[in-house]
Amino acid sequence: MPQIDTRLVQTAVIGGRDSDQPVILPEEPHNLDEFRRQFGTDRFWCGTLLGGCGEKLMTKRYETKVCHFSHYPDRHGDRAMCHRTANGVDSADHLFIKVHVTRWLANQGHAARAELRSLGHGPGDAVDFWLRATEQHLRFELHPEDYRSWRKAADSLGAEEGHIEWVFGPDGVITRDMVARQGYALRVRCETKGNDRRVLIGTATENRAVAWAPLEQCRMTSSGLVTPALEELRAEGIIREGGMRMDPLPGSLPLRGAEIVFAVDTETAPPATSPFAVPGRHLVSGFVKPAGSRIIRAPVAARKDPGSHGTVRLPVVGRGTAADHGS
């Protein structure tokens, strides 16, 4: 018995299987009629840059449920094989960001080379823009990385290319790290507008709601991407220039039993000199994260106190301070 393609695919590409030109299928039937008049009926592909199979898609019109793209059946009438995992309206956001940011930069006189990057999950993990004339690197990181992988990549890119402007999709420990370094972090999200996705840039700061603005209201300057909210923050003098080149501002660490997590950084040597480098102590480089706080990169000294019945105390070596933690 033939199997019906039940995947509700909302995004596709036009121009071929490897195209980077995205399109969204309207959900309402009257909007789909206009969509068909504009685009035709046989120009849509389950694009490889969407993580798709590269086969053609048809448009399916419904009065009582959401309209969507569908794969053509194979020669036996069965549903086509496709292992694409993301089908919703946000599944092509990396392509919309590539299109809109390239156009936005060009309108400001910047010739930029855009490239999709996979960070191990798919072609939509990140979008990189290199501005030739100003030698700037703008990265939209859309898939969350673990903190250690991101720090390694950030340090490597910074060593090779100098200043990198980071714009993050989801919120998390990485955005909080950026806020600690420079007083703000940039975010990105998209919202549907017809058969397009509008790009919004957010300015995240400590203890404030993210301030979102349309991409077209932002500017690309010699110091990086500037949003309307960021201009106000600079006028108030509460941000720091330098991005990843800046050390995080000092922060407090509530060290309470099981509420702290420490991960050894095997690729970083412990400091050669330290007030804790004494006999009976072993310095280890690592990442410390108390519950509810941002990750702190710090050397940690482990020691076994006489008469402590095996209790290990971990003094966290900060910028001139330390705190003992019994574990």
Side-chain angles (χ1 to χ4, degrees):
M1 181 177 179
Q3 292 180 324
I4 300 174
D5 186 1
T6 58
R7 290 163 291 194
L8 300 179
V9 181
Q10 295 300 137
T11 62
V13 295
I14 56 176
R17 66 192 310 271
D18 299 319
S19 169
D20 62 356
Q21 300 300 306
V23 68
I24 296 176
L25 191 75
E27 296 182 353
E28 300 296 330
H30 61 280
N31 292 330
L32 176 57
D33 294 338
E34 175 59 31
F35 179 89
R36 285 174 169 175
R37 286 190 292 269
Q38 179 181 356
F39 290 100
T41 59
D42 60 350
R43 301 174 55 197
F44 310 110
W45 303 78
C46 185
T48 57
L49 295 180
L50 297 173
C53 60
E55 297 298 323
K56 283 187 176 181
L57 298 171
M58 70 178 87
T59 58
K60 302 286 284 185
R61 187 183 190 278
Y62 297 96
E63 293 285 346
T64 58
K65 59 181 181 180
V66 171
C67 302
H68 59 86
F69 290 111
S70 179
H71 291 75
Y72 285 90
D74 63 18
R75 58 193 179 94
H76 301 294
D78 295 331
R79 60 181 287 179
M81 294 297 295
C82 179
H83 300 290
R84 178 176 169 183
T85 57
N87 300 317
V89 293
D90 60 348
S91 60
D93 280 356
H94 56 297
L95 298 185
F96 284 110
I97 288 172
K98 182 182 179 185
V99 169
H100 289 300
V101 173
T102 298
R103 184 183 306 144
W104 172 73
L105 289 170
N107 289 339
Q108 299 175 76
H110 296 288
R113 176 168 61 92
E115 183 177 332
L116 300 174
R117 305 284 293 183
S118 173
L119 304 177
H121 304 279
D125 290 348
V127 190
D128 283 338
F129 298 88
W130 286 272
L131 283 66
R132 300 182 183 93
T134 57
E135 298 184 345
Q136 290 172 291
H137 183 179
L138 177 62
R139 167 166 286 192
F140 288 78
E141 189 150 312
L142 308 178
H143 191 283
E145 286 190 275
D146 67 89
Y147 182 80
R148 186 182 301 186
S149 298
W150 173 73
R151 277 306 304 262
K152 183 178 180 181
D155 291 344
S156 175
L157 289 172
E160 294 174 2
E161 304 179 25
H163 179 71
I164 302 174
E165 186 79 348
W166 294 87
V167 187
F168 302 101
D171 186 25
V173 294
I174 297 176
T175 55
R176 290 192 284 274
D177 183 274
M178 290 300 294
V179 171
R181 290 175 184 277
Q182 58 188 19
Y184 73 95
L186 295 178
R187 300 268 309 280
V188 63
R189 66 179 175 89
C190 299
E191 61 181 21
T192 301
K193 185 178 181 181
N195 55 11
D196 197 1
R197 291 278 279 174
R198 187 186 193 192
V199 178
L200 302 174
I201 305 297
T203 307
T205 53
E206 189 73 26
N207 300 322
R208 298 188 187 183
V210 178
W212 294 98
L215 177 64
E216 55 269 23
Q217 294 182 10
C218 304
R219 298 180 298 114
M220 191 66 193
T221 70
S222 58
S223 59
L225 196 162
V226 178
T227 66
L230 186 52
E231 290 186 345
E232 295 180 4
L233 291 173
R234 282 178 170 165
E236 296 172 10
I238 60 175
I239 66 169
R240 309 165 78 203
E241 304 294 343
M244 285 297 298
R245 296 190 297 272
M246 302 296 293
D247 289 326
L249 292 170
S252 60
L253 289 176
L255 307 182
R256 294 188 294 269
E259 296 183 10
I260 186 168
V261 177
F262 173 74
V264 175
D265 182 3
T266 58
E267 299 179 2
T268 300
T273 59
S274 168
F276 296 104
V278 296
R281 277 201 182 103
H282 177 60
L283 288 182
V284 179
S285 294
F287 302 94
V288 180
K289 185 186 185 307
S293 298
R294 62 180 171 86
I295 294 176
I296 302 294
R297 195 176 197 174
V300 173
R303 71 182 181 193
K304 185 175 181 180
D305 294 332
S308 62
H309 305 290
T311 297
V312 176
R313 302 180 67 83
L314 301 178
V316 179
V317 183
R319 302 178 65 86
T321 61
D324 280 348
H325 170 60
S327 62

